[in-house]
Amino acid sequence: MVRTLVVRGLLVGLLAGLVAGAFAFFVGEPRVDAAIALEEAAASAAPSEPHGHDDGAAASHDHGEEAVVSRPVQKAGLFLATGLYGVAVGGVFALVFAGLRGRVGPRSEPGLAVAAAAAAFGAIILVPFLKYPANPPAVGDPETINSRTVLYVVMVLVGLASIAIAVAAARRVTVPGVWAKGLVAGATFLVPVIAAWALLPRVDEVPTGFPAALLWDFRVASLGTQLVFWAAFGLLFAAAGERVKARVS
């Protein structure tokens, strides 16, 4: 049964990844192009220095045809990246789903699939995004990328731990009624998340004068891509489970 779930997760993850890739291509890539154009315009307007250091820096930020990977290749590779991401997520999700079946969450497999996908989106995507939202090209100091990555990973771990704590707390509730379990789960989830949001350092590297509308649109597109992926994955995984169940019965 676990093998069947893993195969299902891999195939569904690939399909959901391609759906998310299409959303990112049509909604997110125009914002990336606009941000790159803004960055290159700022670089060309900057005064040249007599030293060779600036030449190397300009080359390292080149996103055009002279870049190591050109923008057309990057756009084509977007679908490969989201597809591989979906396959990896699908395999891990299937293993977790196999461990959750009959133990926590809704008793029906479709309900559990949708609930688990929603929980994963909240813990892995939404919790860290609200603290450290995605930034387009030309935003962010290359010198701080390692520290920013560590902070983002910490928020992902906080989200996952908060989900685990909330599920464990809800299972201990003896008061009848779904509302009681939901209230306890919500409170125990939010306490560590809010504490992490308050205690972890703030990162704000948006340069002065960067268009606020472009920044907002990029972040909405970035979050939307993940929302599309997890919504498609949860629904497709649930539908695949129902189809297998109907065929067996």
Side-chain angles (χ1 to χ4, degrees):
M1 184 61 182
V2 174
R3 180 181 177 181
T4 302
L5 286 173
V6 171
V7 172
R8 184 199 308 174
L10 295 176
L11 295 176
V12 168
L14 175 60
L15 183 56
L18 295 178
V19 172
F23 179 89
F25 183 85
F26 290 107
V27 178
E29 284 301 304
R31 277 73 184 178
V32 175
D33 289 337
I36 290 173
L38 190 67
E39 180 184 23
E40 291 177 347
S44 63
S48 59
E49 295 288 338
H51 302 291
H53 173 73
D54 281 349
D55 295 335
S60 66
H61 288 285
D62 188 6
H63 302 282
E65 297 297 330
E66 301 300 324
V68 176
V69 180
S70 65
R71 282 295 293 149
V73 175
Q74 292 175 15
K75 290 181 179 181
L78 172 65
F79 291 93
L80 176 62
T82 56
L84 292 176
Y85 170 79
V87 169
V89 169
V92 175
F93 182 92
L95 293 175
V96 174
F97 183 84
L100 295 177
R101 291 171 68 237
R103 295 181 175 87
V104 297
R107 295 300 178 183
S108 67
E109 286 201 8
L112 179 59
V114 173
F121 171 77
I124 301 173
I125 305 301
L126 190 59
V127 166
F129 185 90
L130 292 177
K131 177 66 177 179
Y132 302 117
N135 287 325
V139 174
D141 183 1
E143 299 296 327
T144 64
I145 187 170
N146 290 333
S147 60
R148 286 186 281 121
T149 300
V150 170
L151 290 173
Y152 190 89
V153 171
V154 169
M155 281 307 308
V156 171
L157 295 177
V158 169
L160 291 173
S162 300
I163 286 289
I165 294 171
V167 171
R171 293 186 67 185
R172 293 180 176 273
V173 175
T174 58
V175 179
V178 178
W179 66 270
K181 290 182 179 292
L183 184 62
V184 171
T188 52
F189 172 79
L190 287 175
V191 167
V193 168
I194 293 175
W197 283 342
L199 295 176
L200 288 177
R202 182 170 177 263
V203 176
D204 185 5
E205 298 180 349
V206 179
T208 303
F210 191 89
L214 177 58
L215 180 64
W216 172 260
D217 289 343
F218 178 87
R219 289 176 172 176
V220 169
S222 177
L223 184 61
T225 300
Q226 290 291 343
L227 179 60
V228 167
F229 171 80
W230 283 103
F233 182 86
L235 294 175
L236 290 172
F237 196 92
E242 277 290 277
R243 186 173 181 180
V244 170
K245 182 180 177 181
R247 184 167 37 186
V248 171
S249 59

